[in-house]
Amino acid sequence: MIQCKFVNRTYYNPANGYTVAAYHTREELPMEVARQNKEHPGTFQAYGIELPTGENLEVELEGAWKKGKYGFQLDVSCFHVNIPETEAGIEAYLSSDMIKGIGPVTARRIVGKFGKRALYVLAHTPEKLLDIPGISEAKLEEIIEGYQRSTKLRELMVYLAPFGVTTNKLEKIQEHFGESAYHIIRENPFRLCEIKGFGFLTVDPIAMKAKNFCPDNPLRIKAAISHVIQKAEEEGHLFLASDEIVEQAGDLLNNNKKTPGISKVSDAAIKDAGNDMIRTDKSLVGNGGGIYQKLAFDAEVGAAGELVRLMYKEREKQDIRQMLKQIAKEEGITLDEMQEKAVFQAFKYPVSIITGGPGTGKTTLIRIILRLQETLDPDAMVMLCAPTGRARRRMYEKTGYPAMTIQKAVGMTGVDGEEAWNRTEKLPDDLIIADEFGMCDMYLAYKFFYSIRQGASLIMIGDKDQLGSVGPGNVFKEMIESGIIPVTVLDACFRQDEGSTIVENARRINQNQTRLKYDDSFQFRAASDPEDAAEIIQKIYETYWRGHGKRTEDLMVLSPFRKETEAGSDALNERLRDVVNPKRRGRMEIKNGKKLFRVGDVVMQTKNVDEVSNGDLGEVLGIYRKDSKMVMEVDFGDDRVVKFSDDDYWPLTHGYAMSVHKSQGNECPVVIIPVLGCFRRMLQRNILYTGITRATKQVILVGSRQAVAKAIRNNRMAKRNTNFALRLRQVYKSMQECYEKSA
């Protein structure tokens, strides 16, 4: 340990906390270090994660001297902030960035008032700070909270900083576990896996070094099992077979490259730990031959029960035929047999499903149903909703009726976004129409069905041939396959305007026809490899963008891949951003994580937070400094301007290109899609179908015709482990038996 005092900070990366700073010590430095700092004896450079900074702050640093581009510097492995005893030291400590709420001016006033007793006052009689000019009761609360957090945070920092855990992550740990965070993590470092950004592979080496865990420690094995099941959920599964869990957890525990040389963990030890998670911890559930996370099991069982509950409602028999004919006449349309069936079922049954591809009239039916409901009951409360912000806005634009996201409707709003759910009172609406329901995962479906009051009517609309939800489950398809819910399949195409070739090719793709029709609205451009495809896409994008008023909202580039290739959405985003919004002198930029943002960028939200939904596109309005933070302002439209500060990780990515999965619920005039042989496992019929059906006027495929044909022929959609259809049938049968007994 070197006793030293902070001098200045020469570099700081807010994304990962990497710091380079100068310190001064009275201790003897190595000869090589002293020789390169003859002008400032005792001063040396140090680097590390979140090094303590603050004028005259006294610290202890531990690390190794290393020679690099800038000479000898101390590579800090851990540090300790000394509680100062002098007035100057206390002022430096209070004004450091370790305590939020106190700046240099306030620190000077506190020390000026209380001298060396300032820290005692803060800890024991903080109300005395109200005597200081500029400190209101609200400011006092902020100071107290900042001081208490800094004390607890310092303990965590000393423990975890050597492992590269940044201050931002330390604050998330403290926020998650509260004031006992330090003691909880010391007792079981694997509890870190509960926090987003701390996967098993990150936490395992920390636990092995910090606690000297044995390889077969039950806490370590349980963390690996939880990791395996969580990864399965990310792939759409609600459960895994026990032998799959044992195999995958064994691979994880015995082949972790970050902890080489550890002894093998046996299958028996993994099974014992898993059984303990089921019987004692109650974090897992074994049911129907599969192992679920408790939350996933509750969601699947709960969703089945709540949906069947909604199905048992006596509907008043009404003859709507004449009204339907009159409304169709006023709308200037003629409904075919299946469309009429969909409307009749919507008013006959409390729960019904309408499914069909593009151009089959789903939106038309929503308008018809809304008009019928108004005619039948002008005072009825109606709610339109969808799983994403863009799908919600598209619903509003096409029907003229207000719509909201399902997340907001069920109370999933606030700082925690999709992680938080307030079980509010049941929704008061008499009729609920949910569009793009194929995007709804099991967790959201359960919350949605639970929130609907008994007696309300529910109509769910979607395209069963599109990709499944990003989250776990296969809700829409399984509801259809269950056989207990009235379903109408729309199969006639009514869209004969510009872009109708898109609809025709969508039908051919679903019918396994590899010979597609190409014309102005559906084009193909050959590309030899990903780099060639990326260059072609860039040229097409730039030509169209410049020729159509530089409107990025009219263009959508969709890739089956996000990473791993030049034709993936991440790499394409970099290319297209440099076309649309190149680096210019005087144009502000900011880095968050690995992403660089600049004023004028198109960005996409990747998480539901407050009024902004996962998949919403926005534009960066400004980047500026406010107080001690850098702030980026993003306009998401509809008067939704969000400010992101650099002390947190942003749920943002660039929005010039996106994955096909992220495009669900969106529509755009022109869609460009790379389709290449190297995509291999992503060459699937439903991925290609989903991508092209996002376009309303023009599709441009870039790649190889062989890859397009391979995608069309590959209808082996990855099977998702879920028992929702089975549970629906079981609950429905049980409910029927109860009704028959009571009759």
Side-chain angles (χ1 to χ4, degrees), residues 412-523:
M412 294 171 66
T413 57
V415 175
D416 292 325
E418 60 237 358
E419 286 82 16
W421 177 37
N422 300 316
R423 295 195 183 205
T424 55
E425 294 180 2
K426 301 291 186 183
L427 295 168
D429 305 278
D430 302 296
L431 172 63
I432 297 173
I433 303 176
D435 198 11
E436 296 287 356
F437 208 77
M439 300 169 63
C440 196
D441 66 27
M442 188 55 70
Y443 289 117
L444 182 57
Y446 169 53
K447 296 176 177 70
F448 182 51
F449 299 149
Y450 174 90
S451 301
I452 300 173
R453 68 174 181 82
Q454 191 75 33
S457 295
L458 172 63
I459 304 168
M460 292 169 284
I461 301 172
D463 186 342
K464 62 181 177 61
D465 296 314
Q466 283 187 25
L467 284 168
S469 58
V470 175
N474 208 0
V475 178
F476 193 62
K477 286 189 176 73
E478 286 203 276
M479 287 193 301
I480 293 172
E481 292 168 2
S482 71
I484 68 168
I485 302 170
V487 177
T488 307
V489 179
L490 305 177
D491 53 9
C493 178
F494 298 94
R495 189 184 292 172
Q496 302 299 332
D497 55 358
E498 185 180 359
S500 61
T501 306
I502 299 169
V503 177
E504 182 179 340
N505 280 336
R507 293 168 66 84
R508 291 188 181 192
I509 289 170
N510 272 339
Q511 293 168 2
N512 196 28
Q513 296 180 27
T514 58
R515 295 190 63 173
L516 303 181
K517 178 182 177 182
Y518 294 100
D519 57 17
D520 286 342
S521 64
F522 201 101
Q523 301 180 20

Side-chain angles (χ1 to χ4, degrees), residues 71-127:
F72 282 94
Q73 295 179 311
L74 184 67
D75 180 3
V76 178
S77 58
C78 64
F79 59 82
H80 176 73
V81 178
N82 297 324
I83 300 299
E85 297 180 359
T86 66
E87 290 187 5
I90 293 171
E91 183 179 328
Y93 175 68
L94 292 178
S95 61
S96 71
D97 53 10
M98 295 184 66
I99 303 178
K100 298 186 185 302
I102 301 180
V105 174
T106 303
R108 194 177 307 119
R109 289 175 179 171
I110 293 173
V111 175
K113 174 76 173 176
F114 301 106
K116 293 181 181 180
R117 296 185 66 253
L119 295 180
Y120 178 87
V121 170
L122 266 169
H124 301 285
T125 56
E127 67 275 3

